[in-house]
Amino acid sequence: MSNKVAKLTLEGSTESIDLPVFSGTLGPDVVDVGGLTAKGLFTYDPGFMSTASCKSAITYIDGDKGVLLHRGYPIEQLAEGSNFLETCFLLLNGELPDAEENLEFAKSIRYHTMVHEQLYEFFKGFPRDAHPMAIMVGVVGALSAFYHDSLDINDEKHRELAALRLIAKMPTIAAMVYKHSIGQPFLYPRNDFSYAENFLHMMFNTPCDEAKVSPILAKAMDTIFLLHADHEQNASTSTVRLAGSTGANPFACISSGIAALWGPAHGGANEAVLNMLYEIEDESRIEEFINRAKDKNDPFRLMGFGHRVYKNFDPRAKVMREICDEVLQDLGVENDPLFRIARRLEKIALEDEYFIERKLYPNVDFYSGIILQAIGIPASMFTVIFAIGRTPGWISHWNEMISNPYKIGRPRQLYTGHVKRDYPKK
Ligand code: CMC
């Protein structure tokens, strides 16, 4: 795999340690530090800034150039020509489906859209004002209590069935969470609708009033799911891999991914963007918030700006910005005060030296929050929408790991506590 070697010499030692260097098909070479343990050394890399935790053939990101490829295909091309379900197939299987596979996959997803009837009972136990992500973590994890025929992680068929079930049921559970919060009856899925259409139907229709879902909004929703479908070894995907490396079942693993996604530095940012825009309240206060974001003594950050990997622009944000314009125009709300604040904020931040120097650009969550708000989805549901979109990515990574030789994920540490001391005699 490699004939390059990195040499590590510790100060004061005459011996150097040879570390193999591996090259992927794209991206930086990686130094294999696995052999260091035998030499009594660990590497130290808080936040995994320089650590490749695994090999993967699913997604490639070049953060400096703003490139995102799924199985080799650029995200912009997928957003234009593909749809969410086809992209799910691509992520899971490595290749685009042919016409027959496409139909078959969509049919299999439709077959699994309903949830076990007993699951409805769960919702009675959750307070109406519970955060939707709190319910998602619980209910998705609880799927493992119902679907015993897809829990054997060593059986390829079980893994495939779990993947279909998770992708199919996430919108149903998400819509149930929303209906529960507003006290309306749950709606059963409509299998004659597309994936995104069905989700909007379950969210906004009622048994007494069934309106047609706007094709523009359904397309926007589908693209939002697609743009979130995978993002290589981000915090939630790495959480899914770590949980999966213990042999835990897929529903439990995806539930752990949902928990990791919830934080405002990750998927929770889209909700935080909206809360920030409400807090700003008026265009005249934008400067005050920009100054707070720059103040090192203030923990406030401009939500929806910056990314660990993208240091040029977020290619998903570029597509999302275009959809944002379309949706706001379609709904006739482009002059809504909240959206005007968002536009001004974006302009000022893009021209400000502090943000330019640190390469802080609006990320995918800046625009997705604005679109979802315009569609009428409450901010507390935004991260749930992200979770629906990211589900195929989580499962693809989990499946890739389980299908290949793997070890339990077990990082080490730089211990800084007390050295050994004796418990005081009494
Ligand atoms: N507002 C103001 N300053 C910022 C921001 C921000 N949003 N983001 C980073 N900085 C500054 C930070 O203070 C630091 O400045 P200095 O070098 O002077 O100390 C510098 O930029 C580098 O920041 P960092 O925290 O070292 O960068 P990171 O790569 O560890 O963090 C991030 C990336 C996304 C967590 C961070 O940019 C952030 O908190 N952004 C806001 C939250 C957000 O929008 N998250 C969604 C990410 S996209 C969706 C996803 O993939 O999950």
Side-chain angles (χ1 to χ4, degrees), residues 21-103:
V21 177
F22 300 139
S23 301
T25 45
L26 289 169
D29 287 350
V30 301
V31 180
D32 177 357
V33 294
L36 287 179
T37 321
K39 307 280 182 192
L41 287 172
F42 296 145
T43 53
Y44 178 60
D45 183 21
F48 304 110
M49 301 288 286
S50 307
T51 296
S53 61
C54 61
K55 257 194 268 174
S56 181
I58 300 172
T59 289
Y60 172 73
I61 300 175
D62 183 332
D64 292 329
K65 296 198 182 118
V67 169
L68 169 60
L69 310 177
H70 292 324
R71 303 288 191 182
Y73 296 105
I75 192 68
E76 297 85 350
Q77 291 180 23
L78 291 171
E80 195 184 335
S82 181
N83 59 48
F84 179 61
L85 281 191
E86 190 186 58
T87 302
C88 289
F89 184 99
L90 173 70
L91 288 169
L92 289 167
N93 300 293
E95 293 298 335
L96 286 167
D98 61 26
E100 199 181 316
E101 286 168 330
N102 213 343
L103 284 176

Coordinates of all heavy atoms in Angstrom, one line a residue, residues 21-103:
V21 N 3.8 5.4 5.6 CA 2.9 6.5 5.1 C 2.0 6.0 4.1 O 2.5 5.3 3.1 CB 3.8 7.7 4.6 CG1 2.9 8.8 4.0 CG2 4.7 8.2 5.7
F22 N 0.7 6.2 4.2 CA -0.3 5.7 3.2 C -0.8 6.8 2.4 O -1.1 7.9 2.9 CB -1.5 5.0 3.9 CG -1.1 3.8 4.7 CD1 -1.6 3.6 6.0 CD2 -0.1 2.9 4.3 CE1 -1.3 2.5 6.8 CE2 0.3 1.8 5.1 CZ -0.3 1.6 6.3
S23 N -1.1 6.5 1.1 CA -1.8 7.5 0.2 C -3.1 7.0 -0.1 O -3.3 5.8 -0.4 CB -1.0 7.7 -1.1 OG 0.3 8.1 -0.8
G24 N -4.1 7.9 -0.1 CA -5.5 7.6 -0.6 C -5.6 7.9 -2.0 O -4.6 8.2 -2.7
T25 N -6.8 7.9 -2.6 CA -7.0 8.2 -4.0 C -7.0 9.7 -4.2 O -6.6 10.3 -5.2 CB -8.3 7.6 -4.5 OG1 -9.3 7.9 -3.6 CG2 -8.2 6.2 -4.8
L26 N -7.4 10.4 -3.1 CA -7.3 11.9 -3.1 C -7.0 12.3 -1.6 O -7.1 11.5 -0.7 CB -8.7 12.5 -3.4 CG -9.3 12.4 -4.8 CD1 -10.8 12.8 -4.7 CD2 -8.6 13.3 -5.7
G27 N -6.5 13.6 -1.5 CA -6.3 14.1 -0.1 C -4.9 13.8 0.4 O -4.1 13.1 -0.2
P28 N -4.6 14.3 1.6 CA -3.3 14.2 2.2 C -2.9 12.8 2.5 O -3.8 12.0 2.8 CB -3.3 15.1 3.5 CG -4.7 15.8 3.4 CD -5.5 15.1 2.5
D29 N -1.6 12.5 2.4 CA -1.1 11.2 2.9 C -1.3 11.1 4.4 O -1.4 12.1 5.1 CB 0.4 11.1 2.7 CG 0.7 10.9 1.2 OD1 -0.2 10.7 0.4 OD2 1.9 11.0 0.8
V30 N -1.4 9.9 4.9 CA -1.5 9.7 6.4 C -0.4 8.9 6.9 O 0.1 8.0 6.3 CB -2.9 9.1 6.8 CG1 -4.0 9.9 6.3 CG2 -3.0 7.6 6.3
V31 N 0.1 9.3 8.1 CA 1.2 8.6 8.8 C 0.6 7.5 9.7 O -0.3 7.9 10.6 CB 2.1 9.5 9.6 CG1 3.2 8.8 10.3 CG2 2.6 10.6 8.7
D32 N 0.9 6.3 9.5 CA 0.4 5.2 10.4 C 1.1 5.2 11.7 O 2.3 4.8 11.8 CB 0.5 3.9 9.7 CG 0.0 2.7 10.5 OD1 -0.4 2.9 11.7 OD2 0.1 1.5 10.0
V33 N 0.5 5.7 12.8 CA 1.2 5.8 14.1 C 0.9 4.6 15.0 O 1.2 4.6 16.2 CB 0.8 7.1 14.8 CG1 1.3 8.3 14.1 CG2 -0.7 7.2 15.0
G34 N 0.1 3.6 14.4 CA -0.3 2.4 15.2 C 0.9 1.7 15.9 O 0.7 1.2 17.0
G35 N 2.1 1.8 15.3 CA 3.2 1.0 15.9 C 3.8 1.7 17.1 O 4.7 1.2 17.7
L36 N 3.4 3.0 17.4 CA 4.0 3.7 18.4 C 3.8 3.1 19.8 O 4.6 3.2 20.7 CB 3.6 5.2 18.4 CG 4.1 6.1 17.3 CD1 3.5 7.5 17.4 CD2 5.6 6.2 17.4
T37 N 2.6 2.5 20.0 CA 2.3 1.9 21.3 C 3.4 1.0 21.8 O 3.8 1.0 23.0 CB 0.9 1.2 21.2 OG1 0.1 1.9 20.4 CG2 0.3 1.0 22.6
A38 N 3.8 0.2 20.8 CA 4.9 -0.8 21.2 C 6.1 -0.1 21.6 O 7.0 -0.7 22.3 CB 5.1 -1.7 20.0
K39 N 6.3 1.1 21.2 CA 7.5 1.9 21.7 C 7.2 2.7 22.9 O 8.0 3.6 23.3 CB 8.0 2.8 20.5 CG 8.2 2.1 19.2 CD 9.5 1.4 19.1 CE 9.7 0.8 17.8 NZ 10.8 -0.1 17.8
G40 N 6.1 2.5 23.5 CA 5.7 3.2 24.7 C 5.3 4.7 24.5 O 5.4 5.5 25.3
L41 N 4.8 4.9 23.3 CA 4.4 6.3 23.0 C 2.9 6.3 22.4 O 2.5 5.4 21.8 CB 5.2 6.9 21.8 CG 6.7 7.3 22.2 CD1 7.4 7.6 20.9 CD2 6.7 8.5 23.1
F42 N 2.2 7.4 22.7 CA 0.9 7.7 22.1 C 1.0 9.0 21.3 O 1.9 9.8 21.6 CB -0.2 7.9 23.1 CG -0.5 6.7 24.0 CD1 -0.9 6.9 25.3 CD2 -0.4 5.4 23.5 CE1 -1.2 5.8 26.1 CE2 -0.7 4.3 24.3 CZ -1.1 4.5 25.6
T43 N 0.1 9.2 20.3 CA 0.1 10.5 19.7 C -1.0 11.3 20.5 O -1.8 10.8 21.2 CB -0.4 10.4 18.2 OG1 -1.6 9.6 18.2 CG2 0.6 9.8 17.4
Y44 N -0.9 12.6 20.3 CA -1.8 13.5 21.1 C -2.4 14.5 20.1 O -1.7 15.3 19.5 CB -0.9 14.3 22.2 CG -1.7 15.2 23.0 CD1 -2.8 14.8 23.8 CD2 -1.4 16.6 23.0 CE1 -3.5 15.7 24.6 CE2 -2.1 17.5 23.8 CZ -3.1 17.1 24.6 OH -3.8 18.0 25.3
D45 N -3.7 14.5 20.0 CA -4.4 15.3 19.0 C -5.8 15.7 19.4 O -6.8 15.1 18.8 CB -4.4 14.6 17.6 CG -5.0 15.4 16.5 OD1 -5.0 16.6 16.6 OD2 -5.4 14.8 15.5
P46 N -5.9 16.5 20.4 CA -7.3 16.9 20.9 C -8.1 17.5 19.7 O -7.6 18.2 18.9 CB -7.0 18.0 21.9 CG -5.6 17.9 22.3 CD -4.9 17.3 21.1
G47 N -9.4 17.1 19.7 CA -10.3 17.5 18.6 C -10.0 16.9 17.3 O -10.6 17.2 16.3
F48 N -9.1 15.9 17.3 CA -8.8 15.1 16.0 C -8.4 16.0 14.9 O -8.9 15.8 13.7 CB -9.9 14.2 15.6 CG -10.3 13.2 16.7 CD1 -11.5 13.3 17.4 CD2 -9.4 12.2 17.1 CE1 -11.9 12.5 18.4 CE2 -9.8 11.3 18.1 CZ -11.0 11.5 18.8
M49 N -7.7 17.1 15.2 CA -7.4 18.1 14.1 C -6.5 17.5 13.0 O -6.6 17.9 11.8 CB -6.6 19.3 14.7 CG -7.3 20.0 15.8 SD -8.7 21.0 15.2 CE -7.9 22.4 14.4
S50 N -5.7 16.5 13.3 CA -4.8 15.9 12.3 C -4.9 14.4 12.3 O -3.9 13.7 11.9 CB -3.3 16.2 12.7 OG -3.1 17.6 12.9
T51 N -6.0 13.9 12.7 CA -6.1 12.4 12.8 C -7.1 11.8 11.9 O -8.3 12.3 11.9 CB -6.4 12.0 14.3 OG1 -5.3 12.4 15.1 CG2 -6.6 10.5 14.4
A52 N -6.7 10.9 11.0 CA -7.6 10.1 10.2 C -8.0 8.9 11.0 O -7.1 8.1 11.3 CB -7.0 9.7 8.9
S53 N -9.3 8.8 11.4 CA -9.7 7.7 12.3 C -9.9 6.4 11.6 O -10.0 5.4 12.2 CB -10.9 8.1 13.1 OG -12.0 8.4 12.2
C54 N -10.1 6.4 10.3 CA -10.4 5.2 9.6 C -10.1 5.4 8.1 O -9.8 6.5 7.6 CB -11.9 4.9 9.7 SG -12.9 6.2 9.1
K55 N -10.2 4.3 7.3 CA -10.2 4.3 5.9 C -11.6 4.4 5.4 O -12.5 3.7 6.0 CB -9.6 3.0 5.3 CG -8.2 3.0 4.9 CD -7.9 1.8 4.1 CE -7.3 0.7 5.0 NZ -7.1 -0.6 4.3
S56 N -11.9 5.2 4.4 CA -13.3 5.2 3.9 C -13.4 5.6 2.5 O -12.5 6.3 2.0 CB -14.1 6.2 4.7 OG -15.5 6.3 4.3
A57 N -14.3 4.9 1.7 CA -14.5 5.2 0.3 C -15.8 5.9 0.0 O -16.2 5.9 -1.2 CB -14.4 3.9 -0.5
I58 N -16.4 6.5 1.0 CA -17.7 7.1 0.8 C -17.7 8.6 0.3 O -18.2 8.9 -0.7 CB -18.6 6.9 2.1 CG1 -18.7 5.4 2.4 CG2 -20.0 7.5 1.9 CD1 -19.3 5.1 3.8
T59 N -17.1 9.4 1.1 CA -17.1 10.8 0.9 C -15.8 11.5 1.0 O -15.0 11.1 1.8 CB -18.1 11.5 1.9 OG1 -19.4 11.1 1.6 CG2 -18.1 13.0 1.9
Y60 N -15.5 12.4 0.1 CA -14.2 13.1 0.1 C -14.5 14.7 0.2 O -15.4 15.2 -0.5 CB -13.4 12.9 -1.2 CG -12.2 13.7 -1.3 CD1 -11.1 13.5 -0.5 CD2 -12.2 14.8 -2.2 CE1 -10.0 14.3 -0.6 CE2 -11.0 15.6 -2.3 CZ -10.0 15.3 -1.4 OH -8.8 16.1 -1.5
I61 N -13.8 15.3 1.1 CA -13.9 16.8 1.2 C -12.5 17.4 1.0 O -11.6 16.9 1.7 CB -14.4 17.2 2.6 CG1 -15.8 16.5 2.9 CG2 -14.5 18.7 2.8 CD1 -16.3 16.8 4.3
D62 N -12.4 18.4 0.2 CA -11.3 19.3 0.2 C -11.7 20.7 0.7 O -12.3 21.4 0.0 CB -10.7 19.4 -1.3 CG -9.4 20.2 -1.3 OD1 -9.2 21.1 -0.4 OD2 -8.6 20.0 -2.2
G63 N -11.4 20.9 2.0 CA -11.9 22.1 2.6 C -11.3 23.4 2.1 O -12.0 24.4 2.1
D64 N -10.1 23.3 1.5 CA -9.5 24.6 1.0 C -10.1 24.9 -0.3 O -10.2 26.1 -0.7 CB -8.0 24.4 0.8 CG -7.3 24.2 2.2 OD1 -7.8 24.8 3.1 OD2 -6.3 23.5 2.3
K65 N -10.5 23.9 -1.1 CA -11.0 24.2 -2.4 C -12.6 24.2 -2.4 O -13.2 24.5 -3.5 CB -10.5 23.2 -3.4 CG -9.0 23.2 -3.6 CD -8.7 22.5 -4.9 CE -7.2 22.5 -5.1 NZ -6.6 21.1 -5.1
G66 N -13.2 23.9 -1.3 CA -14.7 23.9 -1.2 C -15.2 22.7 -2.1 O -16.2 22.9 -2.8
V67 N -14.6 21.5 -2.0 CA -15.0 20.4 -2.8 C -15.7 19.3 -1.8 O -15.1 19.0 -0.8 CB -13.8 19.7 -3.5 CG1 -14.2 18.4 -4.1 CG2 -13.3 20.6 -4.6
L68 N -16.8 18.8 -2.3 CA -17.5 17.7 -1.5 C -17.9 16.7 -2.6 O -18.7 17.0 -3.5 CB -18.7 18.2 -0.7 CG -19.6 17.2 -0.1 CD1 -19.0 16.3 0.9 CD2 -20.8 18.0 0.6
L69 N -17.4 15.5 -2.5 CA -17.7 14.4 -3.4 C -18.4 13.2 -2.7 O -17.8 12.8 -1.6 CB -16.5 13.9 -4.1 CG -15.5 14.8 -4.8 CD1 -14.3 14.1 -5.4 CD2 -16.2 15.6 -5.9
H70 N -19.5 12.7 -3.2 CA -20.0 11.5 -2.6 C -19.8 10.4 -3.6 O -20.3 10.5 -4.8 CB -21.6 11.6 -2.4 CG -21.9 12.5 -1.3 ND1 -21.2 12.6 -0.1 CD2 -23.0 13.4 -1.1 CE1 -21.7 13.5 0.7 NE2 -22.8 14.0 0.1
R71 N -19.0 9.4 -3.2 CA -18.6 8.3 -4.1 C -18.1 8.9 -5.4 O -18.3 8.3 -6.5 CB -19.8 7.4 -4.4 CG -20.5 6.7 -3.2 CD -19.6 5.7 -2.6 NE -20.3 4.9 -1.6 CZ -19.8 3.9 -0.9 NH1 -18.5 3.6 -1.1 NH2 -20.5 3.3 0.0
G72 N -17.4 10.0 -5.3 CA -16.8 10.6 -6.5 C -17.6 11.7 -7.2 O -17.1 12.5 -7.9
Y73 N -18.9 11.7 -6.9 CA -19.8 12.7 -7.6 C -19.8 14.0 -6.8 O -20.1 14.0 -5.6 CB -21.2 12.1 -7.8 CG -21.3 10.9 -8.6 CD1 -21.4 9.6 -8.1 CD2 -21.1 11.0 -10.0 CE1 -21.5 8.5 -8.9 CE2 -21.2 9.9 -10.8 CZ -21.4 8.7 -10.3 OH -21.4 7.5 -11.1
P74 N -19.6 15.2 -7.5 CA -19.7 16.5 -6.8 C -21.1 16.8 -6.3 O -22.1 16.5 -7.0 CB -19.3 17.5 -7.9 CG -18.6 16.7 -9.0 CD -19.2 15.3 -8.9
I75 N -21.1 17.4 -5.1 CA -22.4 17.6 -4.4 C -23.3 18.5 -5.3 O -24.5 18.4 -5.4 CB -22.2 18.2 -3.0 CG1 -23.5 18.2 -2.2 CG2 -21.6 19.6 -3.0 CD1 -24.1 16.9 -1.8
E76 N -22.7 19.5 -6.0 CA -23.5 20.4 -6.9 C -24.2 19.6 -7.9 O -25.4 19.9 -8.3 CB -22.6 21.5 -7.5 CG -21.8 22.4 -6.6 CD -20.5 21.8 -6.1 OE1 -20.2 20.6 -6.3 OE2 -19.7 22.6 -5.5
Q77 N -23.5 18.6 -8.5 CA -24.1 17.8 -9.6 C -25.3 16.9 -9.0 O -26.3 16.8 -9.7 CB -23.1 17.0 -10.3 CG -22.1 17.8 -11.1 CD -21.1 16.9 -11.9 OE1 -21.3 15.8 -12.1 NE2 -20.0 17.6 -12.2
L78 N -25.0 16.4 -7.9 CA -26.1 15.6 -7.2 C -27.3 16.4 -6.9 O -28.4 16.0 -7.2 CB -25.5 14.9 -6.0 CG -24.5 13.8 -6.2 CD1 -23.9 13.3 -4.9 CD2 -25.1 12.6 -6.9
A79 N -27.0 17.6 -6.4 CA -28.2 18.5 -6.0 C -29.0 18.9 -7.2 O -30.2 19.0 -7.2 CB -27.6 19.8 -5.3
E80 N -28.3 19.0 -8.4 CA -29.0 19.4 -9.6 C -29.7 18.3 -10.3 O -30.9 18.4 -10.6 CB -28.0 20.1 -10.6 CG -28.7 20.8 -11.7 CD -27.8 21.4 -12.7 OE1 -26.6 21.6 -12.4 OE2 -28.2 21.5 -13.9
G81 N -29.0 17.1 -10.3 CA -29.6 16.0 -11.2 C -30.2 14.9 -10.4 O -31.0 14.1 -10.9
S82 N -29.8 14.7 -9.1 CA -30.2 13.5 -8.4 C -31.3 13.9 -7.5 O -31.9 15.0 -7.5 CB -29.0 12.9 -7.6 OG -29.4 11.8 -6.9
N83 N -31.7 13.0 -6.6 CA -32.7 13.3 -5.5 C -32.2 12.6 -4.3 O -31.2 11.8 -4.3 CB -34.1 12.9 -5.9 CG -34.2 11.5 -6.2 OD1 -33.8 10.6 -5.5 ND2 -34.8 11.2 -7.4
F84 N -32.9 12.8 -3.2 CA -32.4 12.3 -1.9 C -32.3 10.7 -1.9 O -31.3 10.2 -1.5 CB -33.3 12.8 -0.7 CG -32.8 12.2 0.6 CD1 -31.6 12.5 1.1 CD2 -33.7 11.4 1.3 CE1 -31.2 12.0 2.4 CE2 -33.3 10.9 2.6 CZ -32.0 11.2 3.1
L85 N -33.3 10.1 -2.4 CA -33.3 8.6 -2.3 C -32.3 8.0 -3.2 O -31.6 7.0 -2.8 CB -34.7 8.0 -2.7 CG -35.8 8.1 -1.6 CD1 -37.0 7.2 -1.9 CD2 -35.2 7.6 -0.2
E86 N -32.1 8.6 -4.4 CA -31.0 8.1 -5.3 C -29.7 8.3 -4.6 O -28.8 7.4 -4.7 CB -31.1 8.8 -6.6 CG -30.2 8.1 -7.7 CD -30.1 8.9 -9.0 OE1 -29.7 10.1 -8.9 OE2 -30.4 8.3 -10.0
T87 N -29.5 9.4 -3.9 CA -28.2 9.7 -3.3 C -28.0 8.7 -2.1 O -26.9 8.3 -1.8 CB -28.2 11.2 -2.8 OG1 -28.3 12.0 -4.0 CG2 -26.8 11.5 -2.1
C88 N -29.1 8.4 -1.4 CA -29.0 7.3 -0.4 C -28.5 6.0 -0.9 O -27.6 5.4 -0.3 CB -30.4 7.0 0.2 SG -31.1 8.4 1.2
F89 N -29.1 5.6 -2.1 CA -28.6 4.4 -2.7 C -27.1 4.5 -3.0 O -26.4 3.5 -2.8 CB -29.4 4.1 -4.0 CG -29.1 2.8 -4.7 CD1 -30.0 1.7 -4.5 CD2 -28.0 2.7 -5.5 CE1 -29.7 0.5 -5.1 CE2 -27.7 1.5 -6.1 CZ -28.6 0.4 -5.9
L90 N -26.7 5.6 -3.6 CA -25.3 5.8 -4.0 C -24.4 5.7 -2.8 O -23.4 5.0 -2.8 CB -25.2 7.2 -4.6 CG -23.8 7.7 -4.9 CD1 -23.2 6.9 -6.1 CD2 -23.8 9.2 -5.3
L91 N -24.8 6.4 -1.7 CA -23.9 6.3 -0.5 C -23.9 4.9 0.1 O -22.8 4.4 0.4 CB -24.5 7.2 0.6 CG -24.4 8.7 0.3 CD1 -25.2 9.5 1.3 CD2 -22.9 9.2 0.4
L92 N -25.0 4.2 0.1 CA -25.0 2.9 0.7 C -24.3 1.8 -0.2 O -23.6 0.9 0.4 CB -26.5 2.4 0.9 CG -27.3 3.1 1.9 CD1 -28.8 2.8 1.8 CD2 -26.9 2.7 3.3
N93 N -24.5 2.0 -1.5 CA -24.0 0.9 -2.4 C -22.8 1.2 -3.2 O -22.2 0.3 -3.8 CB -25.1 0.5 -3.3 CG -26.3 0.0 -2.6 OD1 -26.3 -1.1 -2.0 ND2 -27.4 0.7 -2.6
G94 N -22.4 2.5 -3.2 CA -21.1 2.8 -3.9 C -21.3 3.3 -5.4 O -20.4 3.9 -5.9
E95 N -22.5 2.9 -6.0 CA -22.7 3.3 -7.4 C -24.1 3.8 -7.5 O -25.0 3.5 -6.7 CB -22.6 2.0 -8.3 CG -21.3 1.4 -8.4 CD -20.2 2.3 -9.0 OE1 -20.6 3.2 -9.8 OE2 -19.0 2.2 -8.7
L96 N -24.4 4.6 -8.6 CA -25.7 5.1 -8.8 C -26.6 3.9 -9.2 O -26.1 3.0 -9.9 CB -25.7 6.1 -9.9 CG -25.2 7.5 -9.6 CD1 -24.9 8.3 -10.8 CD2 -26.1 8.2 -8.6
P97 N -27.9 3.9 -8.9 CA -28.7 2.8 -9.3 C -29.1 2.9 -10.7 O -29.2 4.0 -11.3 CB -30.0 3.0 -8.4 CG -30.0 4.5 -8.1 CD -28.6 4.9 -8.1
D98 N -29.3 1.8 -11.4 CA -29.9 1.8 -12.7 C -31.4 2.1 -12.5 O -31.9 2.1 -11.4 CB -29.6 0.6 -13.6 CG -30.1 -0.7 -13.0 OD1 -31.1 -0.6 -12.2 OD2 -29.6 -1.8 -13.3
A99 N -32.2 2.2 -13.7 CA -33.6 2.6 -13.5 C -34.4 1.6 -12.7 O -35.2 2.0 -11.8 CB -34.2 2.7 -14.9
E100 N -34.1 0.3 -12.9 CA -34.8 -0.7 -12.1 C -34.5 -0.7 -10.6 O -35.3 -0.8 -9.8 CB -34.5 -2.1 -12.7 CG -35.5 -3.2 -12.4 CD -35.0 -4.5 -13.0 OE1 -34.6 -4.5 -14.1 OE2 -35.1 -5.5 -12.2
E101 N -33.2 -0.6 -10.4 CA -32.7 -0.5 -9.0 C -33.3 0.8 -8.2 O -33.7 0.7 -7.1 CB -31.2 -0.4 -8.9 CG -30.5 -1.7 -9.2 CD -29.0 -1.5 -9.4 OE1 -28.6 -0.5 -9.9 OE2 -28.3 -2.5 -9.1
N102 N -33.4 1.8 -9.0 CA -34.0 3.1 -8.5 C -35.4 2.8 -8.0 O -35.8 3.2 -6.9 CB -33.9 4.1 -9.6 CG -33.7 5.5 -9.0 OD1 -33.9 5.7 -7.8 ND2 -33.3 6.5 -9.8
L103 N -36.2 2.2 -8.9 CA -37.6 1.9 -8.6 C -37.7 1.0 -7.4 O -38.5 1.2 -6.5 CB -38.3 1.3 -9.8 CG -38.7 2.3 -10.9 CD1 -39.3 1.5 -12.1 CD2 -39.7 3.3 -10.4

